[in-house]
Amino acid sequence: MKSNEVKQLFQKEGLRFTSQRNLVFDIMSKHPRPLTADEIYFLYLEQDESISLSTIYRILELFLEKEIITKTLLTDNNKACYVLRHGHKHLLVCLNCKKITEVKECPVHYFEDDIQNATQFKITGHKLELYGLCPECQ
Ligand SMILES: [Zn+2]
Ligand SMILES: [Zn+2]
C-alpha cells in the first residue's frame, strides 16, 4: 500500500497519520504472517531506532481498536500475534510455518439470520479463523 493510501485509511478511521504508525503498518503489510509485538519492534529498529516497545504496543492497541489489525488465535511463546485486516476477510493460518491465506468467502453471514431469529440477538459482527497445516507442511 502506498503511503497516501495508508494516509487515507488512517483518515477514514479517524487516526492521525504519524511516521511511527505508518512504519508499523508498512512492516505488517510487508510481513503478512502473524507477528508478535517484539518481532514488529525488532523489524522497526532495523529501519529507525526512535521507538520504544511500549510505543509499539500503544500503536497496536490503537490499530486493534480501529480494526486495522486483528489478534490471531495463534500465539508465539504465549505472546499475542497480530496481522493486518483487509476488510471483511477470514484467515487460514498454518500452525507450522505461520503462512496466512485469506479466505474469500464468508460462510457466517448465512447463519446470522437464523441465529438472530432464534435468539433475538442483534448480531453486529463475528470473528472466524481457521487453522491447520498448509500443503507444504502436511
Ligand atoms: Zn505451513
Ligand atoms: Zn465473515
Side-chain angles (χ1 to χ4, degrees):
M1 220 187 239
K2 292 191 200 81
S3 96
N4 62 333
E5 288 173 329
V6 180
K7 225 172 234 175
Q8 275 176 6
L9 174 79
F10 284 10
Q11 210 163 42
K12 202 182 98 207
E13 298 299 339
L15 273 182
R16 203 160 45 85
F17 183 87
T18 67
S19 58
Q20 289 183 331
R21 290 172 186 172
N22 183 43
L23 189 50
V24 170
F25 186 92
D26 192 56
I27 288 164
M28 294 184 79
S29 66
K30 284 181 181 145
H31 299 84
R33 59 185 171 87
L35 294 170
T36 63
D38 288 352
E39 284 177 299
I40 295 166
Y41 177 58
F42 288 117
L43 288 164
Y44 194 107
L45 292 185
E46 283 173 13
Q47 300 190 52
D48 182 359
E49 289 177 10
S50 60
I51 199 153
S52 64
L53 184 57
S54 60
T55 305
I56 296 281
Y57 272 111
R58 264 205 305 280
I59 292 171
L60 291 174
E61 282 305 317
L62 205 60
F63 283 1
L64 275 176
E65 203 178 292
K66 301 292 183 187
E67 298 191 323
I68 291 170
I69 61 170
T70 185
K71 240 185 228 182
T72 67
L73 294 172
L74 207 71
T75 53
D76 192 344
N77 292 316
N78 292 320
K79 284 181 183 150
C81 293
Y82 306 88
V83 281
L84 286 186
R85 261 178 76 113
H86 300 281
H88 188 109
K89 275 183 194 155
H90 296 292
L91 302 177
L92 256 172
V93 184
C94 176
L95 293 171
N96 187 49
C97 70
K98 295 187 176 182
K99 189 171 87 179
I100 286 211
T101 307
E102 285 180 345
V103 184
K104 289 190 192 83
E105 310 277 306
C106 173
V108 182
H109 291 309
Y110 301 114
F111 297 128
E112 286 185 349
D113 286 346
D114 289 351
I115 294 166
Q116 272 187 164
N117 290 337
T119 62
Q120 305 304 312
F121 225 80
K122 177 91 194 82
I123 295 170
T124 55
H126 61 259
K127 282 182 92 167
L128 172 69
E129 197 175 302
L130 301 139
Y131 47 89
L133 293 172
C134 75
E136 289 81 47
C137 293
Q138 281 166 36

